Amino acid sequence: MNLTLSETAAALQDAKTLVITAHVNPDGDAIGSSLGLMHVLRSLGKDVTVLLDDDIPAGFSVLPGYDAIRRSVEGETIDCDLFVVLDTMTDRIGKVAEAVRAPRVLNIDHHHTNPGNDKEDLYLDATRAATCEIIYDLAKEMNVAVSKDAAMCLYTGLATDTGFFRFSNAVAHTYRAAADLIDAGAQPNVISEALEIKPMQTVKDLGEALAQFELFADGKAAGIFLTQEQTARMASTEAFIGHIRVIDGVDVAVVLKCKEPNVCRVSMRSKHVDVSRIATMYDGGGHIRAAGCTLKMPFEQAKTTIMAAIETAIREGWIA
Ligand code: AMP
Ligand code: MN
Ligand code: MN
C-alpha cells in the first residue's frame, strides 16, 4: 500500500524496535539513509539496528555510526516491530530478508521503477534526488531536530546520488535540504575528501578499464566490459562509468562486470535516453539517467545483449 509522508512518519513513531536495511552493493545513499534514519529514530528513544548484507566501502567510515552497522549472519533471526527497507524495492537486500521477522514492513524509496506490492507499505517520492532527502523530509514531518551525526549521514546520500550536486536530479529542494544539513553540522569537505580517497590499485584498474572501452551505436554509446577474471581482480569499479559518460557525443555509458559464469552486473548512465526502461526489461531498475540490472547469461552473450538493447533505445529514441 502507498503511504503519505505523514502516514510514514506515524509508522516510524508507532514502532519501538526497528531494523533498517538497504540494497546490496550499498552506495552513499543506501548507507547514509540507513545511518541517518537510525540517528533520527534514536533521538526519539527507539531501539534501532542497521543491518546490511554486504561490504561497506571503507571511505564511509567517516560517517557516525559506521561501526554500528551489523552484517546479516546466516541462521540468525532478529525480531522487531517495524522493518524498514531503504533506497530499493524490497527484493534487493540479500540475506537480511531471511534474518528479520516483523509484523510490518515499510519501504522508503525514490526509484520510480519500484512497483511496490500489496503486502508491504511503500512511501515513494521519485521527485527526491536521494532517499536521504526523504529521510530529511520525514525528520521535519516528525519535528525532530537533526543532530550533527544524522546530518553527516544524510548529506552524504544527497551528495553521492547527485554526483556531488551536478546531475539533473539536484533541484532547489535538494540544495535547501543540503544547506539545512550543513547548518545542522554536516561537513561537506570532510565527506567529499573521505570518499575521493582510492587505493593506488584502483587508479591502476581504472587505467586498464579505460584502455579497453568500446564505442558503439555510431559513437552514441560507450562501454567497458569486464571479464570475470578482471571483475574478480578489481576491488572497486564504481568510478569507471563516470569517465566514459563524459565522452563528447556519448549519450549512454555502460559498465558490465561478469561476477560469476552466468551473472553479469550492468550499470548504465545517460544524458537523454531512459536507461531505466532498458534495465526494467531485464528485471532491474533505477532512474531515467542512472539504472542497473543483472543479466543471467555468459559474458559474451550479456555483452552483445546489452549493446543491442542500448542501440535499440538510442535508435528508437527512448526518451522519457
Ligand atoms: P548503479 O549503476 O549500480 O549505481 O545503479 C544505478 C541506479 O540503478 C541506482 O539508483 C540503483 O539503485 C539502480 N539499480 C541498479 N541495479 C539495479 C537492479 N538490479 N534493480 C533495481 N535497481 C537497480
Ligand atoms: Mn542507492
Ligand atoms: Mn538513492
Side-chain angles (χ1 to χ4, degrees):
M1 191 176 75
N2 280 72
L3 301 187
T4 64
L5 188 68
S6 66
E7 287 167 343
T8 308
L12 294 169
Q13 280 168 318
D14 287 348
K16 280 199 183 69
T17 56
L18 301 97
V19 174
I20 300 171
T21 196
H23 58 81
V24 289
N25 194 20
D27 53 18
D29 194 28
I31 298 162
S33 61
S34 297
L35 291 177
L37 180 60
M38 175 188 84
H39 291 300
V40 166
L41 294 172
R42 283 189 179 168
S43 70
L44 290 169
K46 312 230 174 257
D47 177 342
V48 187
T49 303
V50 173
L51 189 57
L52 296 175
D53 179 26
D54 216 332
D55 295 327
I56 321 286
F60 293 108
S61 59
V62 70
L63 296 184
Y66 175 88
D67 293 327
I69 299 174
R70 292 191 51 187
R71 308 286 306 285
S72 111
V73 180
E74 242 157 302
E76 183 187 19
T77 311
I78 303 183
D79 287 289
C80 58
D81 300 333
L82 186 65
F83 181 31
V84 186
V85 180
L86 299 175
D87 198 39
T88 177
M89 46 192 168
T90 52
D91 65 353
R92 273 181 78 217
I93 57 173
K95 295 195 192 78
V96 174
E98 295 115 57
V100 178
R101 208 164 42 194
R104 189 173 182 189
V105 179
L106 173 61
N107 183 196
I108 301 174
D109 192 13
H110 69 127
H111 294 95
H112 73 96
T113 51
N114 186 331
N117 63 60
D118 44 10
K119 291 192 301 294
E120 296 158 346
D121 290 323
L122 171 65
Y123 180 68
L124 177 69
D125 186 350
T127 71
R128 296 306 190 223
T131 300
C132 280
E133 197 173 343
I134 301 178
I135 305 302
Y136 161 88
D137 292 336
L138 283 164
K140 267 190 145 176
E141 180 71 23
M142 294 189 287
N143 287 313
V144 176
V146 173
S147 64
K148 178 184 172 182
D149 286 357
M152 284 289 279
C153 300
L154 296 178
Y155 180 91
T156 296
L158 290 186
T160 55
D161 263 22
T162 58
F164 288 82
F165 304 97
R166 288 176 299 128
F167 303 151
S168 58
N169 58 352
V171 296
H173 181 276
T174 324
Y175 287 92
R176 285 195 192 98
D180 281 354
L181 294 170
I182 294 168
D183 279 342
Q187 297 169 289
N189 62 313
V190 170
I191 294 163
S192 50
E193 282 160 25
L195 296 184
E196 75 187 5
I197 301 279
K198 292 183 179 68
M200 184 175 66
Q201 188 56 46
T202 297
V203 177
K204 289 187 176 175
D205 293 343
L206 172 64
E208 179 181 334
L210 289 181
Q212 69 180 56
F213 85 81
E214 295 176 39
L215 278 185
F216 59 103
D218 294 328
K220 294 191 179 73
I224 292 173
F225 304 95
L226 301 171
T227 63
Q228 191 180 349
E229 182 277 318
Q230 288 177 304
T231 305
R233 194 159 37 78
M234 296 182 178
S236 170
T237 57
E238 203 77 13
F240 295 1
I241 202 161
H243 291 271
I244 53 171
R245 106 176 229 283
V246 297
I247 298 168
D248 193 14
V250 166
D251 186 340
V252 178
V254 58
V255 171
L256 180 145
K257 300 191 292 182
C258 184
K259 306 272 282 185
E260 291 169 37
N262 284 307
V263 180
C264 295
R265 262 270 324 143
V266 173
S267 281
M268 291 176 284
R269 301 289 182 271
S270 82
K271 296 202 183 79
H272 305 288
V273 164
D274 179 0
V275 283
S276 72
R277 193 167 150 193
I278 303 172
T280 306
M281 291 191 330
Y282 301 102
D283 290 328
H287 309 285
I288 291 166
R289 295 191 177 82
C293 57
T294 298
L295 299 179
K296 294 185 182 71
M297 51 184 89
F299 175 70
E300 285 299 338
Q301 190 188 345
K303 178 177 169 183
T304 49
T305 299
I306 201 67
M307 285 171 100
I310 291 169
E311 271 170 5
T312 302
I314 290 173
R315 192 179 56 247
E316 294 184 358
W318 292 6
I319 292 165

